[in-house]
């Protein structure tokens, strides 16, 4: 069983997935900071200086706090402002991933075009050249 486990772990797909998850987690933190520290303050200024993260509706009469963190300690809340922030996070992340995939696809297509040019420019193998010469000689007779 240990050898099977080693084989499973050594496969490229498992390692690629592990790297993707780790980079994705770090990338998520970067996007979260981008949204919370850069985008949301600008959106707040545009829309009159408010902060989406503290927008909530209390679902219990015992909730009297004005900040989301304090309100959650007092009882159940409908945190729609936090949801808006998470949706904006997702949209930014999706846009960045779209641009990355688009760039990689463009690079991949460029490499494939270059490979096709190299294949077309390479002379045919010797046996194909010989057969071509024989064909051409037979045509002239």
């Amino acid at each position: 069983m240990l050898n099977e486990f080693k084989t499973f772990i050594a496969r490229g797909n498992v390692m690629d997935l592990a790297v993707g998850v780790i980079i994705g987690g770090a990338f998520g933190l970067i996007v979260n900071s981008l949204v919370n520290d850069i985008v949301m303050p600008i959106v707040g200024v545009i829309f009159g200086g408010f902060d989406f993260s503290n927008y909530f509706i209390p679902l219990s009469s015992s909730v009297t706090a004005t900040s989301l963190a304090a309100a959650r300690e007092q009882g159940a809340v409908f945190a729609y402002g936090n949801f808006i922030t998470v949706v904006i996070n997702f949209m930014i992340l999706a846009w960045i991933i779209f641009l990355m995939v688009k760039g990689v696809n463009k690079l991949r297509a460029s490499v494939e075009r270059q490979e096709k040019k190299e294949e077309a420019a390479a002379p045919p193998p010797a046996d194909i050249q010989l057969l071509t010469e024989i064909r051409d000689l037979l045509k002239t007779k």
Side-chain angles (χ1 to χ4, degrees):
M1 189 183 320
L2 185 59
N3 286 333
E4 286 181 61
F5 182 70
K6 286 180 188 177
T7 303
F8 173 74
I9 293 298
R11 287 187 185 150
N13 294 345
V14 173
M15 296 307 291
D16 291 344
L17 179 62
V19 169
V21 167
I22 292 168
I23 289 176
F27 194 68
L29 293 173
I30 291 170
V31 171
N32 194 26
S33 175
L34 174 69
V35 170
N36 291 332
D37 301 332
I38 296 173
V39 173
M40 293 312 284
I42 293 171
V43 170
V45 167
I46 291 171
F47 289 105
F50 59 81
D51 179 13
F52 282 119
S53 62
N54 281 319
Y55 277 34
F56 63 93
I57 297 171
L59 299 177
S60 169
S61 60
S62 63
V63 177
T64 59
T66 57
S67 73
L68 180 60
R72 283 186 172 158
E73 290 176 7
Q74 292 178 350
V77 293
F78 182 69
Y80 67 91
N82 194 41
F83 178 75
I84 291 171
T85 302
V86 170
V87 168
I88 291 173
N89 256 349
F90 172 77
M91 297 303 288
I92 291 171
L93 181 61
W95 178 252
I96 291 170
I97 290 173
F98 167 75
L99 292 176
M100 288 172 48
V101 168
K102 186 175 178 178
V104 167
N105 287 342
K106 196 175 210 179
L107 179 65
R108 199 175 283 162
S110 173
V111 168
E112 288 174 2
R113 278 194 305 270
Q114 183 64 28
E115 288 174 353
K116 285 181 182 178
K117 283 181 184 177
E118 290 172 2
E119 287 176 7
D127 57 344
I128 301 295
Q129 284 180 346
L130 182 60
L131 289 171
T132 305
E133 288 175 17
I134 293 171
R135 183 199 66 204
D136 292 344
L137 288 172
L138 289 174
K139 277 185 184 179
T140 59
K141 290 187 178 187

